[in-house]
Amino acid sequence: MPAEDAGVALARRLRSLREDEWPQARITQLQLARALGGDRPLSVPLISSWESVSKPKIPPLSRLEAYATFFATSRSIEGGRPRMPDPAALTPEERARRGELYRELQALRAAALRRLNEPARPAPGGISGLGGLCDTAGARGEGPWLFEEGEAVTLVCAQLPPDMLARMPYADRDDPDFIELYTYADLDALFELHGHVRALNPGSQVNLRVAQRLHPDDYTTHLVLLGGVDWNLATQNALNRLRLPVEQVADWNDPAGPSFVVTDGAERRAFHPVLDRTGDAKRLVEDVGHFFRGRNPYNRKRTISICNGMYGRGVLGVVRALTDARFRDRNAEHIAERFGGAESYSIVTRVTIEGGVVLTPDWTIPDNLLHEWTGCTE
């Protein structure tokens, strides 16, 4: 069975479970979304994308396991309010039914993913790195950093200010030992992300730029901006065009410190980094990071990504959330489940620092998620 046929077969099976398993109590997509999500209900568009026969999206295994548990027993719909049963309370017959369903759904999913695994590229068409990719991100661990074959990607950092460059060796272009990368800010985040993007996209040109020396053509590639509005003019200009509900307020004279400010209707909330102040010394304990992905405002057929933080460690934490081998799959799966096929989305996250070391944020821990948003960048 071709991969596309298997994807359609999986979509039809999921829909038939919802509509036909218990004809006396046909379940709506909204009811199923609430039951499967529990304390964090899934979106109706996400359920719909899994049931779509025109563009089927592939659920992660954890959701297929939840389907099998839910449809293993009619007690899931007792009282007219669908809810997830306790797996430990299933009878032997219900456990057998759960195992049978899960094996069936696993087999359909494996067949649907076969083409994606060989070769491991996204299907042509659409905008790579947005909705369609996110739905399979947990399967191979690419997350948002896998792009269409041959499409250029440009990673953009700020250039360090002149007073900092003056204190650094080999940062003068006239020095025989001049080293270009010494002029880049957020170098640890750049080093981490560049290797990951190159490994996932061996057939694509991956450019490194400082914001002050972007070429005209760079703006229309897949654009990845590292760092915030203090130094990175490309980030500042892009945010002005995107008009997101998240604003970086770099007011270093504010007694409370700089912050990311989120606007939600009439409410505005500020999220500040946490510093331990001992005498004149300041030690960063927790930074605030911001990840955004949407359509490139300079070229709608490409994407823009922003990895930002109040400090450089926040930038690194946001980058590592989707490159760290221990966390990238679960964080990519969170994006797929939370945002589905959304055109644009944004996450404001805590980034913890222990002993001077940046800890990768786990986005499946609610306390790490300060704000999430999805919308249209048009």
Side-chain angles (χ1 to χ4, degrees):
M1 178 183 295
E4 292 103 335
D5 294 345
V8 171
L10 176 58
R12 285 178 174 157
R13 183 62 177 125
L14 295 177
R15 182 165 185 169
S16 72
L17 283 172
R18 181 177 61 82
E19 294 184 342
D20 304 327
E21 187 71 9
W22 300 305
Q24 75 279 11
R26 190 166 176 175
I27 302 167
T28 68
Q29 290 182 340
L30 176 59
Q31 289 173 322
L32 185 60
R34 289 173 174 171
L36 295 182
D39 293 338
R40 303 183 68 189
L42 306 182
S43 68
V44 170
L46 183 59
I47 299 294
S48 180
S49 73
W50 293 341
E51 295 182 359
S52 170
V53 296
S54 59
K55 293 183 178 179
K57 310 302 181 186
I58 303 174
L61 283 173
S62 61
R63 293 307 178 189
L64 294 185
E65 184 177 11
Y67 265 91
T69 302
F70 181 83
F71 288 104
T73 172
S74 60
R75 290 186 286 116
S76 299
I77 56 172
E78 283 182 352
R81 182 177 176 272
R83 62 191 180 282
M84 184 65 67
D86 181 358
L90 296 177
T91 67
E93 293 78 11
E94 291 167 345
R95 286 198 296 272
R97 173 61 174 158
R98 177 176 181 262
E100 176 187 345
L101 275 176
Y102 187 45
R103 286 190 294 274
E104 176 192 0
L105 297 176
Q106 268 188 309
L108 288 171
R109 182 180 187 273
L113 286 174
R114 197 162 292 130
R115 174 174 293 185
L116 297 177
N117 289 328
E118 294 182 1
R121 303 302 308 173
I127 295 189
S128 62
L130 286 168
L133 176 60
C134 290
D135 293 307
T136 59
R140 299 192 307 274
E142 307 93 352
W145 300 126
L146 180 67
F147 300 97
E148 287 279 5
E149 181 74 34
E151 292 180 352
V153 183
T154 302
L155 310 183
V156 184
C157 291
Q159 186 173 57
L160 290 173
D163 61 323
M164 289 188 176
L165 292 176
R167 300 197 300 268
M168 294 179 61
Y170 313 133
D172 183 348
R173 288 184 174 274
D174 294 329
D175 191 311
D177 287 319
F178 171 71
I179 297 174
E180 177 79 24
L181 286 180
Y182 278 12
T183 68
Y184 284 57
D186 296 301
L187 193 54
D188 49 1
L190 175 64
F191 185 83
E192 172 79 19
L193 186 57
H194 178 260
H196 189 75
V197 172
R198 283 293 304 273
L200 282 177
N201 303 274
S204 296
Q205 174 68 33
V206 181
N207 306 310
L208 303 183
R209 300 283 188 266
V210 291
Q212 292 87 336
R213 290 198 296 277
L214 277 169
H215 304 153
D217 287 350
D218 293 334
Y219 286 95
T220 57
T221 64
H222 291 289
L223 202 57
V224 182
L225 309 180
L226 299 177
V229 299
D230 270 351
W231 294 347
N232 195 328
L233 296 178
T235 300
Q236 180 179 325
N237 293 336
L239 288 174
N240 289 339
R241 289 176 176 272
L242 293 167
R243 301 182 182 277
L244 305 181
V246 180
E247 176 189 3
Q248 186 179 17
V249 180
D251 186 355
W252 301 92
N253 295 319
D254 186 332
S259 64
F260 283 100
V261 176
V262 171
T263 301
D264 189 359
E267 181 184 6
R268 283 171 61 86
R269 289 179 294 159
F271 299 103
H272 299 270
V274 178
L275 291 97
D276 178 22
R277 301 173 187 271
T278 304
D280 293 333
K282 295 187 295 185
R283 180 173 61 89
L284 185 63
V285 175
E286 180 181 289
D287 204 351
V288 181
H290 180 216
F291 178 75
F292 169 77
R293 163 58 68 86
R295 290 183 185 271
N296 186 336
Y298 309 106
N299 180 2
R300 288 180 51 79
K301 292 186 179 294
R302 297 295 182 266
T303 63
I304 187 169
S305 306
I306 299 175
C307 300
N308 198 358
M310 291 313 311
Y311 293 92
R313 287 168 177 168
V315 180
L316 178 59
V318 169
V319 166
R320 286 185 59 78
L322 293 165
T323 61
D324 187 332
R326 298 162 299 171
F327 294 95
R328 65 193 182 207
D329 287 0
R330 74 182 75 165
N331 287 338
E333 185 173 307
H334 171 79
I335 288 174
E337 293 182 358
R338 176 68 177 83
F339 303 115
E343 180 177 288
S344 57
Y345 57 87
S346 162
I347 295 175
V348 179
T349 179
R350 299 181 194 276
V351 178
T352 301
I353 293 92
E354 289 288 351
V357 176
V358 174
L359 304 187
T360 303
D362 182 346
W363 290 342
T364 65
I365 299 176
D367 190 53
N368 286 335
L369 300 170
L370 301 174
H371 180 263
E372 293 180 294
W373 169 85
T374 182
C376 180
T377 58
E378 295 181 321

